[in-house]
Amino acid sequence: MPVKTVFLHLTRLWLRGGRWVVLFASLVLFAWCYVQAFQRQGPTWDNVFPEHQRMYLNAAIETRPDLTPDFSKSVSQPLNDWLPHRTDGLVRPLWPWLAAWNVGAKQPRSAGLPSAADHHVLRSGKRWLMGLSLGFLLTLGLAAARAFSVPAALLTILTIGFGVLLPSMAEFSPDVLFQILFLLTWVCCVAALKRNSLWLYGMIGFFSALANLTLPSATTLVLAFIFVSTLRWLWGMILAYWSQEGGTTLWVWRNHWLGMILLVVCHLITVGPMLSHSKEKLGDAAPFFWRWFDDADAMRQWTTAHQTRESLQAVPAGELPSYANYLESHAPDAVSERLRQGGMKMIEAVLQWPWSYNSLRQERGIFVAVLAAVLILLILIVWFVAPRAAHAGQALHPETAPLVFFTVLAFVVCALDFGWDLPVMTWGSRHLAIYPPLVLSLLWASEALVNRARRRQMRLPVFVMYEAILWSLCALAVLRMIAVLQPAAFAA
């Protein structure tokens, strides 16, 4: 039988259902390995209980009375108190609110090593995060398989699951929850730049608000989306008035401002209880005093001493930590140096740079480097080698420019934003929230280029090489998974 006939027959089997059999079998194996790796993670509080974990534990204990509201006298106030709202400016309310469901009715605040009741809350919280992250990864794998190839879908969950979410579960902290919500916000932003249906604006406002209820903050990402989408609206309005030719884009410029209103309304409704509580307790609806210190020790001492409206009002305006006072007490060179060093530390932490050959399979950055190289190669192939587009279906997406601009801008501003906080927020893995969108954007762009090249009848060896590279990266990710399953401790 000719080789071409055999290849066509195998291709038909693969497309008719073989790819889904392989995918479901891989997802089952992935889920089993993920649970086993989680169970191998020992507690981090046997001898020393980190102070930042105690902050979240005590916040959960303080939140426990809110979960049993008394509606005998009123409805609105107990309902408002039941929603996540307690914050001291640094600890956000969503994670303590979720963990509070496992807190005893009269459980005292934690001091010293955790008690048996504290251990129950810590273990239950980590198990809840494991179930949430595993369900999210399986759903993400199925969604990616509908739009991507099988190796791209598997690579997505392998790199995000074992590279980011699993290491972040080593501690009792809201990092995993924030990373998931940050990725969902980013996906909605990209989808809204491709086709700005109004419900997508609402989802951006809702998911970004939940992220801000978890950790500070996803606001920078939303601001980047607002800036890029407003530029897109301006360009769309100019084309509508000056060009008589109809385009193929599904982005409707008339939806923009109504969508912006919907985004802001959904965001404010979700974070409203926290803003109200913060205004009442601290005198500021959005207190970011902790951001304007040079080190974590000074920040902890100051925030511990100023947790009430009265103590904050007693601080002179010139001594209150703020952006304006920070600029007055620091030279411009010091501010730019903190931004530069923060950005470099972000790159080193997220990509685990510099790499070493002996631990290459465990480095997050190697996947980003290879995927970036593949994307650049595909761009060159589509631009110089592939046949020209004969119709709109073979051309690049009409919103490619806004998507690329938003992706680059969002990564830069979020890296600088998170990097600025590294000197004071020295715990947790909040900064790893940038990695999942980075991997997903590279795969998303590569798959889009491959689909366009396939529609232009590009030669088969290009697609074979592309699939081979992705499967090789999957094999490297599996080696990382095997390393995680070894008895040796694994950390981000």
Side-chain angles (χ1 to χ4, degrees), residues 30 34 137 155-167 169:
F30 169 83
Y34 195 80
L137 289 169
L155 187 61
T156 300
I157 62 174
L158 284 169
T159 52
I160 295 176
F162 284 89
V164 175
L165 299 185
L166 184 65
M169 275 188 287

Side-chain angles (χ1 to χ4, degrees), residues 458-467:
M458 188 64 190
R459 293 183 178 180
L460 182 62
V462 173
F463 308 117
V464 174
M465 292 177 57
Y466 173 72
E467 294 274 337

Side-chain angles (χ1 to χ4, degrees), residues 229-242 251 253 398-399 402:
S229 60
T230 301
L231 290 180
R232 177 64 183 87
W233 163 81
L234 182 61
W235 178 247
M237 186 179 64
I238 293 174
L239 288 180
Y241 281 100
W242 293 93
W251 203 91
W253 66 273
E399 303 302 333

Side-chain angles (χ1 to χ4, degrees), residues 38-50 53 114 119 122-123 126 169-172:
F38 170 77
Q39 293 176 348
R40 288 181 179 275
Q41 285 184 337
T44 58
W45 49 80
D46 285 340
N47 299 318
V48 179
F49 190 42
Q53 297 188 53
H119 273 288
L122 297 171
R123 287 193 299 267
K126 290 184 63 176
M169 275 188 287
E171 297 181 343
F172 180 79

Side-chain angles (χ1 to χ4, degrees), residues 101-119:
W101 292 93
N102 296 307
V103 174
K106 297 182 179 180
Q107 184 172 334
R109 286 174 56 88
S110 174
L113 289 177
S115 62
D118 295 339
H119 273 288

